[in-house]
C-alpha cells in the first residue's frame, strides 16, 4: 500500500476568535473535566474477519495462528474465521459456504487439532474466536443427502437448490421437518465442546426457509452452554435482537462510505450511521465495515474508496458513529489491487506499517466509548465528515477528509481553543479555528 496519509494533519488559523475579542478562549477546558453523565452499556470491541485462504494454500489455520499476535496488536478483540468445515466437491464452484461435512475441517486448512491450537493461542492473547456457520444449505455430497433426504426441500421428488437464488452448488434444507433443526443445532454445538469456540456468525440468516423458531431455540440453547457466547446474524433485521442475537449487519455502511469517498460529498455518512444505530438495543451492537468478504469480492480494493490510502480514513467512520467496526483480511495487506475472491487460495503479504495505524484508530474508538453514549452533532461540510459527541463536560470531535486532496476545515465554534488530545497521535493542544487535513487525513480529539 502506498504511504498512509492517515495521521497527517496540520493546524492553521490558531488566532483567538474575533467574536470573543481575542482575549479569552470561548470554551476553556476545565482543569478536572467530569466523567460522562451517561455510560454506554453497549460493547466496544473490534472484529477481524479472517479468510484462511488468504493466509496460505496449505495449513491455512496454522498460518492464521502465526498472525494472531499481529491481529491483536491492531487492537482487535474478536477473530471471525470464515467457514472451516470441509467444503463440497460435487457441483462445486469453490465456495467455502458449500459444506460437505459439518464435523470435519477443510483438509487444506489443517486438522481439528490445528483449530484447537489456534483457539488456545487466541485466548492466550485475549482474543475470542467466532466460526462462520452455514445453516441454510449443504453441499451436494454432504452425508445428510443420502442419510436424510427428507431433510431437504424437494420438487417432483428431487432435492433442489435454494429457491430464488443462483446457488446451484448447494442443496436447500427443509426446516419444516423438525429433525433438521435438531441436527443443525447438534452440529453447531459440536464445535463449542470440541474447540472451545466463543461464538458464531450465521450465514444468510435472512433465508425465508429458516423459521424464527430455529433462531430463537438455537440462541437459547447456545447461551445455556456459554452465557458469554457471541452470536452475529448476517441480517439487517432488528428482530434478531429479540431472538437472542447480539449483533446484526449495517448493510448501508460500505456503500454509503464508498459513495462519499468517490464523490467528495460526505453529508450522508453521519445520517446513515445514526439511522442504523437508532434501533440497536442497549447492550447489543451492529456490524459496520469498509470491506467484508462479499464487498471485496465484488469491488476493487484499490478503487472502491478512491485509493488504498483511503481505507483507514473510511474505517474511522465505521466505529466512531457507533457500532462494531470490522477489519477484513486484505485491508491490512500490502499492494492489493482489484477484486479479491474469497473462493481463491492466495498468500497475501500483510503490511506491518498498518498495524499501528489501525491500533491508534481502535484505541480511540474504545477510549471514546462512554462519550459516544451522549449526543451527536453533525458538522460535515463538502468532502469533510465531521461530528461531535458530547456527554456532560466530555467532548469528542471527529474530522475525516473523504477526498484525495488537501482540505481545510473550519472547526465548530463551541470547541475552538478548547484543550483536547488528538487520540491518534497523542498530542494535546487547543482546537484552532481551521484544521488542514491532507489527502484522506483524519483526527479524533477528546477532552
Amino acid at each position: 500500500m502506498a504511504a498512509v496519509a492517515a495521521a497527517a494533519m496540520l493546524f492553521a488559523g490558531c488566532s483567538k476568535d474575533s467574536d470573543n475579542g481575542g482575549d479569552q478562549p470561548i470554551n476553556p477546558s476545565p482543569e478536572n473535566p467530569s466523567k460522562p453523565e451517561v455510560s454506554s452499556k453497549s460493547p466496544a470491541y473490534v472484529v477481524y474477519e479472517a479468510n484462511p485462504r488468504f493466509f496460505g494454500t496449505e495449513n491455512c489455520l496454522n498460518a492464521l495462528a502465526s498472525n494472531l499476535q499481529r491481529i491483536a496488536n491492531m487492537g482487535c478483540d474478536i477473530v471471525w474465521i470464515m467457514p472451516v468445515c470441509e467444503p463440497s466437491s460435487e457441483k462445486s464452484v469453490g465456495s467455502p459456504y458449500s459444506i460437505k461435512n459439518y464435523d470435519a475441517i477443510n483438509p487444506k486448512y489443517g486438522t481439528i487439532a490445528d483449530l484447537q491450537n489456534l483457539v488456545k493461542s487466541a485466548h492466550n492473547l485475549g482474543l475470542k474466536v467466532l466460526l462462520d456457520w452455514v445453516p441454510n444449505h449443504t453441499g451436494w455430497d454432504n452425508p445428510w443427502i443420502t442419510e436424510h433426504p427428507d431433510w431437504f426441500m424437494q420438487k417432483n421428488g428431487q432435492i433442489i437448490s435454494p429457491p430464488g437464488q443462483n446457488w446451484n452448488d448447494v442443496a436447500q434444507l427443509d426446516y419444516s421437518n423438525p429433525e433438521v433443526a435438531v441436527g443443525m443445532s447438534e452440529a453447531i454445538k459440536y464445535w463449542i465442546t470440541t474447540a472451545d469456540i466463543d461464538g458464531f456468525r450465521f450465514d444468510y440468516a435472512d433465508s425465508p426457509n429458516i423459521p424464527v423458531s430455529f433462531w430463537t431455540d438455537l440462541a437459547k440453547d447456545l447461551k445455556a452452554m456459554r452465557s458469554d457466547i457471541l452470536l452475529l446474524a448476517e441480517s439487517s433485521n432488528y428482530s434478531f435482537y429479540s431472538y437472542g442475537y447480539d449483533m446484526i449487519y449495517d448493510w448501508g455502511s460500505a456503500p454509503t462510505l464508498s459513495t462519499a469517498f468517490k464523490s467528495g460529498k460526505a453529508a450522508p455518512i453521519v445520517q446513515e450511521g445514526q439511522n442504523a444505530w437508532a434501533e440497536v438495543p442497549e447492550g447489543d451492537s451492529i456490524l459496520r465495515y469498509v470491506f467484508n468478504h462479499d464487498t471485496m469480492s465484488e469491488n476493487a480494493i484499490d478503487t472502491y474508496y478512491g485509493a488504498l490510502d483511503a481505507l483507514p480514513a473510511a474505517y474511522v467512520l465505521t466505529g466512531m458513529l457507533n457500532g462494531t467496526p470490522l477489519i477484513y483480511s486484505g485491508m491490512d495487506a500490502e499492494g492489493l489491487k482489484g477484486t479479491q475472491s474469497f473462493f481463491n487460495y492466495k498468500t497475501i503479504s500483510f503490511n506491518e506499517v498498518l498495524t499501528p495505524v489501525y491500533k491508534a484508530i481502535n484505541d480511540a474508538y474504545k477510549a471514546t466509548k462512554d462519550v459516544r453514549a451522549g449526543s451527536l452533532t453533525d458538522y460535515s461540510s463538502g468532502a469533510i465528515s465531521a461530528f461531535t459527541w458530547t456527554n456532560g463536560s466530555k467532548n469528542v470531535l471527529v474530522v475525516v477528509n473523504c477526498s484525495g486532496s488537501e482540505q481545510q476545515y473550519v472547526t465548530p465554534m463551541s470547541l475552538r481553543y478548547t484543550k483536547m488530545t488528538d487520540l491518534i497521535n497523542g498530542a494535546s493542544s487547543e482546537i484552532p479555528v481551521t484544521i488542514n487535513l491532507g489527502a484522506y487525513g483524519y483526527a479524533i480529539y477528546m477532552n
Side-chain angles (χ1 to χ4, degrees):
M1 180 176 288
V4 177
M9 187 199 72
L10 297 173
F11 286 115
C14 294
S15 62
K16 302 300 182 186
D17 194 353
S18 59
D19 289 344
N20 193 43
D23 296 322
Q24 296 295 327
I26 290 176
N27 183 24
S29 178
E31 292 184 4
N32 296 297
S34 62
K35 294 182 179 180
E37 295 176 352
V38 179
S39 295
S40 174
K41 294 181 181 178
S42 290
Y45 42 62
V46 176
V47 178
Y48 184 93
E49 182 188 1
N51 182 354
R53 300 182 184 201
F54 285 178
F55 289 82
T57 56
E58 298 285 346
N59 299 313
C60 301
L61 292 178
N62 288 339
L64 172 57
S66 69
N67 275 267
L68 289 176
Q69 183 66 68
R70 181 184 61 83
I71 292 169
N73 289 347
M74 287 194 292
C76 299
D77 308 286
I78 296 167
V79 179
W80 150 22
I81 307 177
M82 291 175 66
V84 300
C85 294
E86 182 181 6
S88 175
S89 56
E90 185 175 345
K91 299 185 182 180
S92 172
V93 295
S95 172
Y97 291 89
S98 176
I99 306 300
K100 177 179 180 179
N101 191 337
Y102 284 114
D103 297 335
I105 295 286
N106 181 341
K108 281 183 169 289
Y109 288 7
T111 65
I112 288 179
D114 292 332
L115 178 64
Q116 291 169 330
N117 290 333
L118 184 156
V119 174
K120 289 179 182 177
S121 297
H123 288 170
N124 288 338
L125 291 168
L127 296 167
K128 292 187 175 184
V129 177
L130 306 187
L131 288 188
D132 207 331
W133 196 263
V134 188
N136 181 69
H137 47 261
T138 75
W140 287 99
D141 47 5
N142 190 294
W144 290 359
I145 293 275
T146 54
E147 295 172 4
H148 306 286
D150 58 325
W151 285 16
F152 292 85
M153 193 175 290
Q154 299 187 21
K155 183 177 181 179
N156 299 325
Q158 300 294 318
I159 295 173
I160 62 173
S161 296
Q165 302 287 348
N166 188 26
W167 300 345
N168 297 323
D169 60 321
V170 294
Q172 176 63 55
L173 288 161
D174 184 0
Y175 278 85
S176 67
N177 183 339
E179 293 180 1
V180 175
V182 174
M184 186 62 68
S185 179
E186 290 304 311
I188 293 168
K189 293 174 184 176
Y190 169 81
W191 293 101
I192 299 176
T193 57
T194 300
D196 198 21
I197 295 301
D198 301 291
F200 298 88
R201 177 266 188 188
F202 292 102
D203 179 67
Y204 192 30
D206 281 332
S207 170
N209 303 302
I210 303 180
V212 171
S213 60
F214 170 76
W215 294 119
T216 55
D217 291 347
L218 178 65
K220 181 179 179 181
D221 289 349
L222 295 181
K223 292 193 174 184
M225 291 184 70
R226 287 195 57 165
S227 60
D228 62 343
I229 199 163
L230 180 64
L231 305 178
L232 164 61
E234 188 195 17
S235 171
S236 60
N237 183 353
Y238 292 91
S239 296
F240 269 91
Y241 296 120
S242 65
Y243 303 163
Y245 292 75
D246 306 288
M247 186 159 43
I248 63 171
Y249 272 54
D250 175 10
W251 292 119
S253 59
T256 299
L257 289 168
S258 172
T259 299
F261 274 74
K262 285 181 176 178
S263 68
K265 298 177 181 178
I269 294 174
V270 172
Q271 189 62 59
E272 188 283 327
Q274 284 304 96
N275 289 345
W277 183 252
E279 296 185 54
V280 177
E282 192 77 8
D284 293 323
S285 192
I286 192 166
L287 190 70
R288 307 190 75 240
Y289 51 90
V290 173
F291 281 111
N292 62 16
H293 62 276
D294 286 319
T295 51
M296 196 179 288
S297 182
E298 297 164 356
N299 302 279
I301 185 173
D302 55 324
T303 61
Y304 192 49
Y305 294 91
L308 281 175
D309 280 351
L311 299 192
Y315 179 73
V316 167
L317 295 164
T318 61
M320 294 307 297
L321 284 168
N322 283 338
T324 295
L326 173 80
I327 298 174
Y328 173 55
S329 307
M331 287 173 58
D332 51 343
E334 182 174 2
L336 290 182
K337 292 184 178 181
T339 58
Q340 307 294 317
S341 172
F342 59 88
F343 288 14
N344 298 335
Y345 290 82
K346 60 185 297 182
T347 304
I348 63 177
S349 299
F350 294 99
N351 189 348
E352 289 286 1
V353 172
L354 287 171
T355 299
V357 172
Y358 284 116
K359 177 68 160 62
I361 297 170
N362 290 332
D363 284 351
Y365 162 72
K366 295 172 186 179
T368 58
K369 173 178 180 287
D370 285 342
V371 185
R372 287 185 283 106
S375 60
L376 179 143
T377 303
D378 186 5
Y379 292 100
S380 300
S381 177
I384 300 292
S385 179
F387 50 92
T388 61
W389 290 101
T390 302
N391 195 346
S393 65
K394 301 289 285 183
N395 297 279
V396 169
L397 170 63
V398 180
V399 187
V400 178
N401 180 3
C402 301
S403 78
S405 59
E406 184 174 325
Q407 300 286 328
Q408 186 177 78
Y409 179 70
V410 179
T411 58
M413 188 174 295
S414 62
L415 289 180
R416 291 175 192 171
Y417 316 122
T418 299
K419 188 174 183 180
M420 303 183 79
T421 299
D422 184 338
L423 298 180
I424 298 300
N425 60 29
S428 293
S429 60
E430 291 182 352
I431 298 297
V433 174
T434 58
I435 297 173
N436 288 342
L437 290 169
Y440 306 120
Y442 55 85
I444 304 171
Y445 302 96
M446 184 171 70
N447 68 348

